[in-house]
Amino acid sequence: MKFLENKVNDINLAYIGGGSRGWAWNLMGDLALDEEISGTVSLYDIDHKAAADNKKIGNQLFKREEAKSDWTFEVSDSLKDVLKDTDFVIISILPGTFEEMESDVHAPEEYGIYQSVGDSVGPGGLVRALRTIPMYVEIAEAIKEFAPEAWVINYTNPMSLCTRTLYEIFPEIKAFGCCHEVFGTQELLAEMLYDLEGIKNIQRDEIKVNVKGINHFTWLDQAAYQDKDLFPLYEKFVDKYYETGFGEENEDYFSSQERVKFDLFKRYGLIAAAGDRHLAEFCPKNWYLKNPDQVEKWKFALTPVNWRKNDKAEKLEKSRALIKGEEEIELKASGEEGIRQIKAILGLEEFVTNVNLPNQGQIKGLPEGAVVETNALFSRNSVKPVTAGKLPDNIQALIERHVLNQETILKAALNKDKQLAFSAFINDPLVDIDLEQAEKLFNEMLKNTEEYLPGWEI
């Protein structure tokens, strides 16, 4: 890397999962909008054609006059090649296909288990983890051998277990997991200030928060705007919108009207800082996910995998149009912080944001080494977690069950231990069915993903 006049040129960025038709395009747009860094993005994907398509799309984008920086996109044929001489590694992969995810999400419905996302916890999150962990073992071993000094940014779910696997295999790795769910809660608090106080045009990072928990089940025990404590105002906001929900009626499978978030505040007194679709999956089944009618009552949505398949088909068509020049990537900020994080690690700024890292005491009372989500200070060649304090006992009891389950899942995946995996399966709060049914479902789901479980006795 060369530092010149407050700009950094010649950065090598490796993108594992570089054939992505969503995250990759967002990255391209964010890079094009930034004036301070330039370099090369090497794309690696098991779908080589998808990566090659993105190489064309990316290089076309940076020929446009609106691009404020200079990046070149290349395709690598192996992990070794993509990691050679790299400074940063981005991992954003789909573990398996949507066929496996269809089983993850919808097979449990035959047993009365409904999942709104199915990628982090619940039966779907567990089986997804079992096929993802071997992939992350391979990636971690490759980083250890070919790019041990590189900084690694993970976007793949299940976030906690992906990040945890990287550290289990390569303890000295410089990795962190990024998720935008807390950002959405900061934006909600900004909307609250406008709704109740008439304060306009607040940027989400002006809302200062203390973050503690695990990915997709994160909590705030402090929130402030300037010198104003937002908790008393949030209590009024919850009371105002508890029954009706806040915002427009759900427009798609990803929106909600915050009623789960409001209910958790009434139960526990802290602000749950993730989307309702994720939060519901960490709670006992009968709270929010007993059946589709109950989901509708709480004003969020079950996201069907068929929608994801259709979305993929639409993105394939868009990819063809981008390559032919019939469409262009719209240059607008994605809302992610990856580029800003890279710039801070390069020494161009310092800032604090929420990330997923092994617990070094930033959350007192949770196991050391388990991946937790708190704020961290980003500065030159440094990402230091900010001490968040202890969770209230009643919330910790909910979170600790998942933390310990995740440790069990990791051990089961590394040892190909079906019985250990099943013990984690039945310990999940959504798997509220009798043991015989649970075992039948578990075996069915493993059978549906066995291609990604070599060496398992299924």
Side-chain angles (χ1 to χ4, degrees):
M1 291 180 289
K2 298 177 182 178
F3 289 78
L4 180 65
E5 295 179 357
N6 211 35
K7 296 186 178 184
V8 183
N9 304 309
D10 300 331
I11 297 167
N12 290 321
L13 196 161
Y15 192 147
I16 299 172
S20 157
R21 276 103 182 175
W23 285 100
W25 297 345
N26 287 339
L27 173 69
M28 292 173 189
D30 287 344
L31 288 172
L33 290 169
D34 190 272
E35 299 179 292
E36 295 185 286
I37 56 176
S38 295
T40 301
V41 179
S42 296
L43 306 169
Y44 170 71
D45 201 295
I46 57 172
D47 184 343
H48 188 274
K49 183 182 182 305
D53 288 346
N54 276 346
K55 170 187 171 180
K56 295 175 185 176
I57 292 167
N59 287 331
Q60 286 175 0
L61 169 61
F62 281 88
K63 291 177 182 176
R64 287 164 52 182
E65 291 184 4
E66 310 98 291
K68 298 179 180 179
S69 54
D70 184 17
W71 288 88
T72 300
F73 288 77
E74 299 177 348
V75 176
S76 294
D77 294 325
S78 67
L79 283 172
K80 177 180 178 180
D81 289 342
V82 79
L83 293 172
K84 184 180 179 181
D85 299 323
T86 196
D87 304 303
F88 296 90
V89 182
I90 291 175
I91 312 173
S92 175
I93 66 172
L94 174 65
T97 71
F98 286 136
E99 294 303 319
E100 285 76 34
M101 191 174 185
E102 188 163 40
S103 170
D104 294 346
V105 174
H106 297 303
E109 292 175 356
E110 298 298 317
Y111 297 79
I113 300 171
Y114 294 89
Q115 299 166 102
S116 32
V117 187
D119 68 356
S120 295
V121 291
L126 181 145
V127 174
R128 181 185 177 102
L130 293 180
R131 65 173 178 270
T132 308
I133 288 169
M135 301 176 190
Y136 269 67
V137 170
E138 181 183 1
I139 291 168
E141 288 173 341
I143 292 169
K144 181 178 181 179
E145 183 173 359
F146 304 118
E149 296 302 316
W151 282 92
V152 181
I153 308 174
N154 178 60
Y155 288 107
T156 306
N157 289 325
M159 173 65 67
S160 299
L161 272 167
C162 289
T163 309
R164 176 72 178 86
T165 303
L166 294 174
Y167 277 92
E168 178 71 14
I169 301 304
F170 180 21
E172 292 77 30
I173 198 169
K174 298 187 291 188
F176 53 91
C178 292
C179 178
H180 53 223
E181 293 291 315
V182 171
F183 303 169
T185 304
Q186 289 172 299
E187 290 166 357
L188 176 65
L189 294 174
E191 292 181 74
M192 173 193 75
L193 282 164
Y194 176 62
D195 183 81
L196 297 184
E197 304 271 294
I199 305 173
K200 300 180 179 180
N201 302 320
I202 300 172
Q203 301 302 306
R204 69 148 188 91
D205 57 4
E206 295 180 84
I207 307 292
K208 305 303 179 184
V209 295
N210 187 50
V211 180
K212 55 175 67 173
I214 57 175
N215 183 242
H216 293 154
F217 203 42
T218 317
W219 300 74
L220 311 179
D221 63 356
Q222 297 174 31
Y225 172 65
Q226 298 179 350
D227 60 350
K228 187 180 186 67
D229 177 8
L230 296 183
F231 266 69
L233 201 62
Y234 190 74
E235 185 172 6
K236 295 179 183 177
F237 187 61
V238 169
D239 287 340
K240 180 177 179 180
Y241 291 107
Y242 180 77
E243 295 294 341
T244 63
F246 178 74
E248 299 295 325
E249 288 289 335
N250 294 357
E251 298 176 352
D252 54 41
Y253 289 119
F254 295 88
S255 61
S256 77
Q257 291 182 267
E258 317 295 354
R259 290 204 66 223
V260 172
K261 191 180 278 86
F262 295 162
D263 190 57
L264 289 171
F265 181 78
K266 282 186 171 288
R267 289 174 184 268
Y268 295 102
L270 298 190
I271 299 173
D276 283 9
R277 292 162 57 251
H278 284 298
L279 293 170
E281 291 188 327
F282 286 78
C283 297
K285 168 187 169 183
N286 288 338
W287 287 13
Y288 310 112
L289 280 165
K290 184 176 181 180
N291 52 47
D293 288 340
Q294 189 184 51
V295 171
E296 185 175 354
K297 168 193 167 185
W298 287 104
K299 297 181 182 291
F300 64 106
L302 304 173
T303 307
V305 176
N306 193 51
W307 180 92
R308 298 182 188 273
K309 291 180 177 180
N310 292 335
D311 182 65
K312 179 183 177 181
E314 290 175 6
K315 285 189 169 76
L316 282 170
E317 286 301 316
K318 182 173 181 177
S319 178
R320 295 186 189 101
L322 289 169
I323 291 169
K324 292 179 180 178
E326 297 169 355
E327 288 188 37
E328 290 184 334
I329 289 178
E330 182 182 359
L331 285 183
K332 64 176 183 178
S334 71
E336 302 295 335
E337 288 189 333
I339 304 308
R340 191 178 182 192
Q341 290 165 341
I342 288 171
K343 288 167 60 177
I345 291 170
L346 291 170
L348 296 178
E349 64 171 303
E350 290 188 0
F351 79 111
V352 172
T353 191
N354 59 289
V355 290
N356 293 268
L357 287 165
N359 191 23
Q360 306 167 33
Q362 60 263 43
I363 300 184
K364 185 178 179 181
L366 290 182
E368 293 285 316
V371 169
V372 297
E373 187 161 354
T374 65
N375 284 332
L377 172 64
F378 281 71
S379 59
R380 181 186 287 269
N381 203 32
S382 175
V383 179
K384 292 183 178 179
V386 174
T387 300
K390 189 178 184 301
L391 287 154
D393 288 346
N394 52 0
I395 295 177
Q396 178 154 325
L398 292 174
I399 289 177
E400 194 167 31
R401 179 175 182 177
H402 289 287
V403 169
L404 297 176
N405 231 31
Q406 288 167 355
E407 292 297 303
T408 302
I409 294 164
L410 175 63
K411 193 176 299 182
L414 294 177
N415 294 292
K416 301 178 175 60
D417 189 330
K418 182 178 177 181
Q419 191 57 42
L420 191 61
F422 180 64
S423 71
F425 189 83
I426 58 176
N427 192 45
D428 189 281
L430 292 186
V431 186
D432 185 17
I433 55 180
D434 68 50
L435 283 173
E436 185 178 342
Q437 284 186 309
E439 189 165 16
K440 185 178 178 183
L441 172 61
F442 178 69
N443 288 332
E444 176 186 336
M445 294 179 73
L446 286 194
K447 186 70 176 174
N448 291 341
T449 202
E450 66 179 334
E451 178 184 347
Y452 297 88
L453 302 177
W456 285 67
E457 292 186 10
I458 299 172

